[in-house]
Amino acid sequence: MFLVAFPFLHEWPFFRLFLGEYRTFNATMFAVWLLVLLGMNLLTGYSGQVSFGHAALVLASAYLTAVLSQQYGFPLWGAIGLSGAATAIVGWVTIGIPAVRLRGPYLAIATFGLMLAFPQILKLNVLTQWTQGALGIRGGVVEPPGFLGDVLDGREWMYYVAMSMAVVMTVLFLNLTRSRTGRAFVALRDSEVGAEQMGVDVPKYKALAFGVSSLYAGIGGGLFFAVQGFVSPDSLGLIDSIFFLVAIVIGGLGSVLGSIVGALFLTFQSEAISALAGFVPGANNLRNVFYGASLIAVIVLFPKGIAGFFQRPLWPKLRGWNLGRLWSSRS
Amino acid sequence: GEFPAPVEEAPVPGVTDDEVVLGTHTSLTGPVAVYSQIALAINAYFEYVNETKGGVNGRTIKFLIEDDGYSPPKTVDLVRKLVEEDRIFALVNGFGTPTHLQVVDYLQENGVPDLFVATGATEWVKDPEARPMVFGSIPNYVGEGIILGQHIAETYPGLKLGLMSQNDDFGADGMTGIRRGVGDALDIVGEETHEVLDVDLASQVDRLHAAGVDVIAIWATPQHFATAVKHARLNLNWDVPFVLSLVSANELTVLLAGPEVIEGTVSLGYLKSAFEIDDPDVAKHHKLVQDYMGGENGNTLTLYGQYIGELVEESLRRAGRDLTREGLIEAAESITDFWCSICLGPVNTSPTDHDPVQGGFLVRAEGGRWVRFGDLVTYEGVLPGDMMVEDLTR
Amino acid sequence: MDLFLQQLIGGIASGSMFAILALGIVLIYRSTGTLNFAQGQMAMFSMFVAWSAMSTGMGFWPAVLLTLLSALAMGALVEWLIVRRVEGTSDLNSLIVAMGLFLIFDGLALYIWGPLPKSFGPFSFFSGGASCVGGVCIGRLNLGILVVSIVTTVLLYLLFQCTRFGLALRATALNRLASRLVGIPVGRMLSTGWGLGTAVGAIAGILAAQSLGLDIRTMFFVVLFALAAAVLGGLDSPVGAVVGGLIIGVVKNLAGTYTPSSVGSIDLAVAFAVIVLVLMVRPNGIFGRPVRMRV
Amino acid sequence: MSLLTVEELSIQFGGILALDGVGFSVDEAEIVSIIGPNGAGKTTVFNCLTRVYDPMKGSIRFRGRDLLKMRPHQVVANGVARTFQNLELFSSMSVLDNLLVGQHSKIRYSALDAVFRLPRQMREEREARRRAEDTLELMELTEVRDMPVHALPYDAKKRVEIARALVSRPKLALLDEPAGGLTHEQVDSIARIVRGIRDELGVAVLLVEHRMGLVMDISDRVCVLDFGRKIADGTPTEVRRDPAVIQTYLGAPHVDA
Amino acid sequence: MLTLKDIHVSYGQAPALHGVSLEVPEGHIVTLLGANGSGKSTTIHAVAGLLPIQSGSIDFEGREIAGLSTEAIVRLGICATLEGRQLFGEMTVLENLRLGAYTQGEGKGFDEQLERVLTYFPALSERLELSSYLLSGGEQQMLAIGRALMARPRLLLMDEPSLGLAPLLAQEMFAGIMSLSKAEGISVLLAEQAADLAVGISGYGYVLEVGKVVLGDTARNLLDNEEVRSAYLGH
Ligand SMILES: Nc1ncnc2c1ncn2[C@@H]1O[C@H](COP(=O)(O)OP(=O)(O)OP(=O)(O)O)[C@@H](O)[C@H]1O
Ligand SMILES: Nc1ncnc2c1ncn2[C@@H]1O[C@H](COP(=O)(O)OP(=O)(O)OP(=O)(O)O)[C@@H](O)[C@H]1O
Ligand SMILES: [Mg+2]
Ligand SMILES: [Mg+2]
C-alpha cells in the first residue's frame, strides 16, 4: 500500500513537510541499489565469496542496455532483461568459474582488478563504435506507456517499474534462498568439505552464486541506465564497488533485511554525511573523518550488521513476529 | 497526482523577494578535493557581493555546496536534491566531467540553468541549440589545443612531436585541438595515453624518448604532469620542451614538480596570476580570500572561483529584477565584452556561443611562475566542432 | 632493445614503489590478519608529518626518524583504539574498519594540512641525476626506492622467519586464543604489528613524496597496485610483495609499450589479467603457502 | 558379493606413506570397524572412499561401481554417507537445515522450480522435511530442530553429524569417531543408534573409533591398521586377542573394555 | 597450590558456574568429572584467565589470579590445553612447539625440553616440519599437550586430554602425566568424560553437576562410589 502510494505522498499536506518530490527519485534509486545488493549479498553473505568487482558488472549491464536500446532499437525493458541475462552468463562463465579456486582476499583483489581494468576496456578504440568512448551514452526520460501517461509522469513511472522489479526479485530471492540451492550456498560457506561430502557440487554452486548474483547486478545495471538516463565509463568505479560491500556488511550479511538496510545506506549516505558535517560549522574538511568514524561506529555497535541486530531474539515477547526468522538465511 | 497541490507561493524556484538560491556539486573530499577551493571561493565572492553591494538586483545570493566526492551516482543524488528539494534557481560551476556528464541532461530536461561548468569539455559548448541550459567556463579543450598547437607549429617547425594525454574526453579533445593547431608543421611520432589511476607517467615518457621526440604536448593533471616532467629531467637527463594544458599550468604543478624542473614549460592563461600582487585586482582578490574564506592567500583556483562569481553576478544583473530561469539563460547568452576584474580578455556569449572565454595569452614557467608572453589569442564565437587554426585572431 | 630494457627498468622502478607499500600491507596482514586498505592514506599522513617536521627546520635524518617513530605510535594507537574493537568478529568487519580508517586519515590530512600540495625539497641522499648504461637509464631516486624495499624485505623476512618475536607476531594473526594460551601478550603483538606496518608505510610515503610529490592523493592509487602486488606475491610473504610489485610494474609497462595504438590503451587490463591468470595457477599467490584440505 | 570392496589402497603425503596396500570389504547390513593407533590412516581411508583424497593406487568398488571414477559430491548420491572426526557441520544453519543439506542429492528439483515455487519443489521439500523429522526423532534431536548448530552442546553436534549422514538413506554409513568426547551413557546411546541404523534401516556401517567398549560391542568384524598397513582382521574376539594388536594398540587389558 | 573459592561464571545472562570451590594440592593430580555441559570446561577457562569470573576467588600459591590476563597466568606457570586443541594450524609442528616455549625463551633449556616432549610423543618427531592441521586427530592432541609441556608449567590444566587418542596412547599419556607430576612436582587439573583412566591416576576428584560441585573426594573413594562409577566411569 505504502509502496504504491509513495510517489504521491509528497502531495499530501501532511507528508509535504518532510517528503519532497526528490524522495521519489531516492526511492527509485533505493530499488536499484536493492537489486544490486541482493545479488552482492547472495554472493558474499550466503555463499561466502567476496567480490570487489560488482560495480563493473552493474556498469557492464548498464552499457549493454544503453547500446541495445539506443543503437539497436530494442525496447528499453527488453534491453534490460537481455542485459540482465547476458550479465548473468558473463558473471557465471568468465568470473564465477575462474573464481572457484580463489578465496577471501585473493578473490577480492582479483575481482577488484576487473573493476580497475573495466573502464579502460570500455574506452578501447576498437569498441568506441558501440561505447562512444569516454563521453558515455545518453538515454533520456522514459515516458510511461499509453493511458498511464495521463496519471503518471516519467519519474513516477520509473519508480513503479524499479520498485516492482525490486519487489518481485526480492520474492524470487527469498524463494531461492529457502530452497535446495540456497541451502547449498550457505552450506558451502560454512564448510566447503562438509558441503561437498553431502553431495553439493561445490565448484558448480560457487560459480552459480556468481551467476545469480550477476543477474541481480545486471538487472540493477539496466535499471541504473534507465533511471539515470546516462552511463559513462566513470559512472561507477572501484569506490562504488567497495561501498556495495560496505553496505551489505553494515546492513547485515546473509539476509534480505541486510540488503534493504544496505540499500538505504547507499541511497542516503551523501545526504547524511552532508547533514553531519553541517552540525560542525566550517568543518567541510572533516567530512571524511565523520564518515569514517560513523562506519567504524556502526560496525563496532553492530558487528553482525544492523539486520543481525534485529534478528537476535531481542524482545522475547515479540516471538510471534520474529523479524529474524522472517528474513534470515535459515528458512 | 490525485490530490490537488496547494498553490505554489514562489512560482520561480529558488527566488524570493530578497534572495536567490544557487547550488553546486563539487569534491570537498576524495581524490580531487583540492578543487574544493573553487566552490569555496565562489561562495566567498557571493558573500562579498551580498555584504558590500547588498546582493544583485536587491537579492542576496545563497550558495549551496554539495560534496559528491567525485562519484557520479552521488552527483546525481545531490544535484536532484538541490533541484527538487532545496529548489535552487540554477546550478553553478558543477565540478568534474564524469560527474557533471551524469547530470547535464537531467538539468537540461528540467530547464534548470547549468551555468559555467568547471571543465573545458567541448560537450558543454559544442551544441547550444541541443543543450541551451549549459555553459562552459574555461576555454574549451579543443580551442585551447589549437592555440597551443599553433604555438608548437611556429616554434618547432619540422621537428618531431610527441603527444601525451589522459585517456578520456579531456585528453581526446585536447589532442584534437593540438593536431589541428600543429597541422603538418611537425611529424607526430608518438602518442601516449594514461589512465586517471596511473601512478606515474614514466613509461609513457620513456616511449616518447625512445621515439626520438623533440617536443611534447601533454594533457594531464598536475600530479601526472609532475611525474612526467620529473622523470624526463631527473631520470633521463632529457630537457625536451613540454607544452601543457592550462588545467595544470598553476601553482599545484609548481609545488609538485619543483620550480626548476618545469622551467620553460609553455601553456595558456586567461586569468591574471596570483603572484601579480602589484595588480590592484589581484591584491583585492587576496584580500577577499582572506576576509571571506579565512586565512590564506588566493591561488589559481580561488582566482578562477572569483571569475565564476563575477560571471554569475553579471548574468544575474542582466537577468533583471524579474528573475526567471529563461531570463537567466537569455542574460547569460547575451554577455558582450564583459571584462571581469581578473580576466585577461573579454567575455562574450551568444545564443550560439556558450563558451564565455575563448582564448588567452601564452604563458611560460619561469622561476616557478607562469609568465605571459605574446599577444592575446582568441577564437571568439566559433564552435569547437568546426574550429580551425584560421579562426584564431590576435 | 633499448626501449625494451628501459621499459623493464622503468617497470621495476615503479614496481618497487608498489612493492614497498605492499610490504606494509603484508606486515599488517601477517601479524594481525587485517587487509589494510588504509595503508596508503596512513602513509600519506606520515609523509605530511615528515614535511611538517622538516618545515620546522629539522634535518632530513632526524625528521625521518621522528616520522618513523610517530608512525609506529600512530599504528599502534589505531590498533589499540579502533581496530581492536572488531577484532575476531569477522574479516569483513575489519575491512570496513580499514575503509573507515582510510576516510579518517584522508579527512584528517585535509583538515590539518589543507588541500594544496606541499613541496618537498629533494633529499641530498636520493637526488642527483640518472645513471645510464648505453641508452638505458635509471634515476638515483628509483634506485634508492628499490634498494630500500629490498632491504626492508630482507629485514622483514628475518623478523618473521628467524626471531621468536616474529613467530609470535604470526601466531597472533593465526589464532588469538592459542596465542594467549602459550603466554603471548596478544594485545601488544597486535599493536606492534600495526605499528611496524605503519612505519614501513611511512618509509614508502617519504620515498613516494620524492618521486610522486607531496599531496593528499599521492598514495590514493598507489595503494590499489600495492594491494594487488601483495596478493599476487602471496599475502603472507614479504618476498612475494616485492616480486608481485615488480611483476605488476613490468607487465604494465610492457603491455603499454607493445599494444598497437589502434586498439587503445590496455595496459591496466593486461596487468590485471596477468594477476588473475597467476592466481588461477597459484590461488594463494606466488609465494603463498598452498592451503590443502584436511578433514 | 560384498557391498564395498577395497583393494590395495595406497596413498602418500610427502614422505609419509599414510596407506600402504590396504584392503577390506563390507557386506550388506554389516558393521565393520577400523581401529588402529593415531595416525594409522583410518580417516585417510574414509577420505579416499569419499574422494577427498586421490589414492596413488588401489581400487574401491561399491555395489559394482568404481568409486574412484566419481567426483566427491557424487559419492553420497551413490549411497555412501559419512561423518567427520572434527565435525564439519554447517554451523550457522539450523539442525533441520543441516539435515536438508544432507539430502541435497536426494532432492532433485531445479533452481527454477525453487524460484517460482512450482509444485514439484513444494512436494519434494515436504518429503525432505518429513524424512528429516523422522531422522531427528530417531536421533533424539527433535527438540533442537530449529536451533543453530553452533549453539548446541557437543554431544548433540555429534548426533547431528550422524543424522545428517543418515538422512540421505545411504547404503553405507562411514562414521569417524562418533563417540569421541562423549560420556559413557552417551556412548551407550550411540551404540543403540548404530545398531538401530543397521537393523531398522538396513544400512551397513564402517566405523572408526577408539572407544573399545563400543567397537567390541557392536562390530561384526574389525580391521586393524598400523602405519598404513592392515595388521589384523577378524571378529572382535579374535582381534582383541591378537598379540600384535595388543602390543601396538590396545595395551594392557583395557578397563574400558 | 590452586584453590577455587565459590566462583561464579556466566556467559552473557546465562550462568554456567554457580559456586564452584575446589583445591589442587601441590604435586597432585585432580580430576573433574561431570556430564556434558556440567561446567568442566568453563572451570578450566576461568582458571586460565580466559573468562572473567563474577565473584569468588582463585588463589594460586597464595596469590589471587582472578582478573589476571592469560599471559600473566601462563608466566606464573599455569598452562592449559583446551577442547578443540587450539593449534596454530598453518604453522609446522616445530613452530607450534617453539611457541609453546614462548615464555621460556629459546635458550639452552629449549632443546632439552623439546627432546623430552618428543620422547613422550615420538610420532611428532617425524612430523616436525608438517603443517599441524595435516596431522591426524590424535597427533594433533599430542601436539596440543606437548606444546603446553614446552612451557614447563607447574600447574597443567587439561580439558579432555584423551579425546581422540588410541587406547594404548591414552594409557601411556596418563602414565606419562603421572610420572611427570611425580618427577617434577607438576600439579594437574584434568577434566574428563571418559574418566576411568584419569581417576585411576588422580589423587582427588570432584563431580560437577550443572555448574556446582556436588561431590569431592579422594580418587579411591570415588572409584568405590557406586553412583559415580555408573554415571561417569562406565561400570
Ligand atoms: N593431507 C595430508 N597431508 C600430509 N599428511 C597427511 C595428510 N592427511 C593425513 N596425513 C598424515 O597421514 C597419517 C594418517 O592420518 P589419518 O588422519 O588417516 O590418521 P587416523 O588413523 O585417522 O588417526 P587418528 O586416530 O588420530 O584420527 C597421519 O600421519 C597424518 O599426519
Ligand atoms: N560460549 C558459550 N556461550 C554460552 N554458553 C556456553 C558457552 N560455553 C559453554 N556454555 C554453557 O555453559 C555450561 C557449561 O559448559 P561447559 O562447556 O563448561 O561444560 P563441560 O562440562 O565442559 O561439557 P563438555 O563435556 O561438553 O565439554 C553449559 O550449559 C553450556 O551450554
Ligand atoms: Mg582420524
Ligand atoms: Mg568441556
Side-chain angles (χ1 to χ4, degrees), chain B residues 111-353:
Chain B
V112 183
D114 182 6
L115 300 185
F116 317 127
V117 181
T119 79
T122 54
E123 195 64 13
W124 318 137
V125 295
K126 74 178 176 208
D127 193 355
E129 254 168 56
R131 283 191 180 134
M133 292 295 148
V134 57
F135 289 72
S137 65
I138 62 179
N140 73 69
Y141 299 137
V142 175
E144 182 198 354
I146 292 176
I147 295 173
L148 290 176
Q150 175 75 22
H151 164 76
I152 294 172
E154 285 164 8
T155 321
Y156 309 101
L159 297 181
K160 293 180 189 152
L161 175 65
L163 304 182
M164 289 179 79
S165 62
Q166 192 162 299
N167 186 15
D168 56 16
D169 73 295
F170 163 57
D173 283 353
M175 292 305 110
T176 305
I178 290 282
R179 280 172 206 278
R180 288 192 197 161
V182 168
D184 43 18
L186 286 88
D187 268 349
I188 296 175
V189 297
E191 292 171 47
E192 297 295 337
T193 60
H194 61 269
E195 302 296 326
V196 172
L197 49 85
D198 273 334
V199 169
D200 63 51
L201 305 191
S203 148
Q204 284 84 346
V205 172
D206 283 338
R207 274 173 242 147
L208 293 183
H209 185 51
V213 157
D214 300 307
V215 53
I216 295 178
I218 177 166
W219 247 241
T221 59
Q223 287 82 2
H224 279 141
F225 171 66
T227 65
V229 65
K230 274 165 103 175
H231 182 64
R233 303 286 190 262
L234 301 179
N235 294 343
L236 301 179
N237 298 330
W238 187 30
D239 56 2
V240 61
F242 280 92
V243 174
L244 174 67
S245 163
L246 69 83
V247 165
S248 295
N250 52 33
E251 294 96 318
L252 308 186
T253 304
V254 180
L255 289 171
L256 286 163
E260 313 83 40
V261 171
I262 59 164
E263 189 77 10
T265 300
V266 168
S267 184
L268 191 71
Y270 64 100
L271 294 178
K272 294 172 186 168
S273 292
F275 69 84
E276 297 175 61
I277 37 174
D278 294 338
D279 183 300
D281 292 314
V282 175
K284 203 168 147 201
H285 172 75
H286 288 310
K287 177 95 174 54
L288 186 140
V289 167
Q290 283 157 6
D291 291 349
Y292 294 93
M293 246 174 102
E296 294 175 43
N297 264 339
N299 55 43
T300 325
L301 298 177
T302 58
L303 276 165
Y304 170 71
Q306 173 166 344
Y307 152 65
I308 299 293
E310 290 187 33
L311 262 185
V312 172
E313 182 190 9
E314 173 70 7
S315 309
L316 284 174
R317 196 184 60 71
R318 283 168 173 268
R321 175 74 194 159
D322 294 329
L323 267 188
T324 60
R325 284 174 166 171
E326 297 75 24
L328 180 68
I329 293 296
E330 266 173 41
E333 58 191 15
S334 64
I335 301 175
T336 45
D337 227 6
F338 169 70
W339 287 73
C340 84
S341 68
I342 45 175
C343 286
L344 297 176
V347 170
N348 285 294
T349 57
S350 74
T352 54
D353 171 10

Side-chain angles (χ1 to χ4, degrees), chain A residues 282-328:
Chain A
N284 271 330
N285 287 348
L286 283 175
R287 270 163 196 267
N288 268 352
V289 178
F290 295 140
Y291 197 174
S294 4
L295 282 187
I296 293 175
V298 170
I299 214 67
V300 168
L301 292 177
F302 308 105
K304 295 206 161 145
I306 292 171
F309 178 75
F310 287 108
Q311 280 159 5
R312 284 193 318 192
L314 242 197
W315 311 287
K317 291 252 171 61
L318 291 180
R319 272 280 161 89
W321 194 70
N322 188 337
L323 277 170
R325 288 221 46 79
L326 183 59
W327 297 107
S328 76

Side-chain angles (χ1 to χ4, degrees), chain D residues 16 36-39 85-86 154-155 177 180-186 210-212 247-252 254-256, chain E residues 34-36 85 127 136-139 142 160 163-169 171 193-197 231-235:
Chain D
I16 299 171
N38 296 114
Q85 183 170 2
N86 293 332
Y154 185 74
D155 63 309
E177 301 199 20
L182 299 188
T183 61
H184 288 276
E185 254 171 279
Q186 290 160 344
H210 289 304
R211 303 289 279 266
M212 281 307 108
Q247 205 217 320
T248 58
Y249 182 66
L250 292 174
H254 203 273
V255 251
D256 202 343
Chain E
N36 287 115
R85 300 180 196 123
R127 295 176 173 76
S136 84
E139 289 161 353
M142 297 177 211
E160 317 238 354
L163 180 63
L165 291 188
L168 177 61
L169 194 71
Q171 291 164 29
Q193 285 300 346
D196 34 18
L197 280 174
Y232 304 110
L233 306 179
H235 299 285

